[in-house]
Amino acid sequence: MEKLDMLYEGKAKKVFKTNDEKRYIVEYKDDATAFNGEKKGTIVGKGIVNNKMSGLLFKLLEEKGVKNHFEEIISDKEMIVKAVKILPLEVIVRNVAAGSLAKRLGLKEGTIMKSTVLEFSYKDDDLGDPMINEYHIKAMELATDEQLDIIKKYAFMVNDTLMEFFGQKGIKLIDFKLEFGLFDGEVILADEISPDTCRLWDAKTNEKLDKDRFRRDMGNVEEAYLEVLGRIQ
Ligand code: UDP
């Protein structure tokens, strides 16, 4: 497959057109941002880790029945994906209180939620990705009811699959963010699944093995990303 013009450059990835109009090449970057782009930095090796990890998890999820955009890894930092149109939604799944949930509801970080929490944000950098609910999604026509049903079903399937998978590797899945896209009129899982988009804690020590180490200047950021990759592959 031929890599053509860059279509889009985001905070953590570049997306390129290819000679197949139904396929893109995604290139994962080492650039890291937090707090809606206010904090910027580099996590050496992150692109390689996130590419490998996303590929591995998307493959596992496809086997479990979660249709997604992943096709094939073609280099250290690049994968071929289906050319989806991303829905402007961030879908957040939480098992344990952390980050913005802990802050918003006054919960101690680490509090186990009695049942899984699903949240939506409107994907808009200028607005700071505000939290919305299903009524906003419907009223703003961000997704149809049928699409939303699939999104919710997939979000819980991803949670079940990843909780079990990471659990076997001695890692707790605290929370994560998903994005979905349209391909041939169908909703499929897209974007990435990595320590940038998941909170992952060591099961024994609760040590953070994710982007919070960067957000909170905790050090050993590169080491944490490599630790996760080492455990899962
Ligand atoms: N998340 C993400 N991108 C975002 C916002 C959140 O990948 O733009 C992930 C984040 O890494 C965490 C989960 O979604 O795993 C929940 O994040 P939270 O709402 O607590 O926000 P944060 O504390 O990251 O600002």
Side-chain angles (χ1 to χ4, degrees):
M1 190 159 304
E2 233 182 297
K3 192 174 180 182
L4 302 177
D5 297 346
M6 187 168 75
L7 190 68
Y8 167 82
E9 175 161 12
K11 287 177 280 215
K13 299 186 285 297
K14 292 177 182 172
V15 181
F16 295 86
K17 289 189 198 174
T18 70
N19 53 328
D20 178 347
E21 64 171 31
K22 296 211 156 183
R23 299 290 180 272
Y24 293 150
I25 290 174
V26 172
E27 185 183 313
Y28 287 77
K29 307 197 293 186
D30 284 356
D31 300 354
T33 63
F35 314 119
N36 201 22
E38 269 175 56
K39 181 181 170 83
K40 288 189 174 70
T42 303
I43 301 173
V44 176
K46 175 168 86 76
I48 296 176
V49 171
N50 289 6
N51 185 40
K52 279 208 181 113
M53 179 164 165
S54 292
L56 190 147
L57 296 178
F58 280 134
K59 187 161 171 277
L60 172 69
L61 289 165
E62 192 81 42
E63 288 161 12
K64 299 282 182 182
V66 180
K67 289 190 187 170
N68 64 74
H69 72 159
F70 177 68
E71 295 261 307
E72 149 183 36
I73 301 261
I74 52 166
S75 77
D76 267 3
K77 293 189 181 183
E78 295 168 303
M79 60 168 62
I80 299 174
V81 300
K82 294 186 175 78
V84 300
K85 187 170 176 290
I86 293 283
L87 297 171
L89 280 179
E90 297 197 338
V91 179
I92 291 168
V93 180
R94 302 176 181 275
N95 300 302
V96 176
S100 69
L101 178 78
K103 198 170 169 191
R104 180 165 16 102
L105 299 182
L107 297 171
K108 189 168 175 286
E109 192 160 69
T111 306
I112 295 168
M113 305 307 286
K114 294 282 184 281
S115 56
T116 306
V117 174
L118 187 65
E119 292 174 358
F120 301 100
S121 297
Y122 177 42
K123 201 170 136 61
D124 185 311
D125 278 341
D126 294 339
L127 299 175
D129 300 336
M131 188 159 117
I132 54 174
N133 65 31
E134 294 187 35
Y135 290 92
H136 299 99
I137 294 173
K138 195 178 163 80
M140 291 173 71
E141 297 185 309
L142 303 178
T144 66
D145 286 347
E146 292 76 20
Q147 289 168 345
L148 200 53
D149 283 344
I150 297 170
I151 288 170
K152 287 190 282 182
K153 184 182 82 174
Y154 278 175
F156 283 100
M157 285 168 73
V158 172
N159 192 41
D160 291 344
T161 303
L162 296 190
M163 283 248 276
E164 189 192 356
F165 177 79
F166 284 119
Q168 290 163 351
K169 318 290 179 187
I171 293 172
K172 287 190 220 170
L173 179 62
I174 305 302
D175 59 30
F176 57 93
K177 184 260 307 180
L178 301 174
E179 294 184 22
F180 293 83
L182 294 179
F183 184 73
D184 283 343
E186 196 184 9
V187 176
I188 63 174
L189 178 63
D191 194 46
E192 67 177 290
I193 307 177
S194 71
D196 274 14
T197 63
C198 302
R199 284 197 172 91
L200 304 167
W201 295 0
D202 179 83
K204 284 209 188 91
T205 64
N206 281 341
E207 188 191 355
K208 295 186 197 315
L209 300 172
D210 57 58
K211 199 166 123 181
D212 272 345
R213 301 200 74 86
F214 168 79
R215 291 189 189 101
R216 302 177 191 186
D217 295 318
M218 298 171 75
N220 292 333
V221 187
E222 282 84 3
E223 289 80 357
Y225 277 68
L226 286 173
E227 174 68 26
V228 172
L229 182 65
R231 288 200 204 178
I232 67 169
Q233 68 175 7

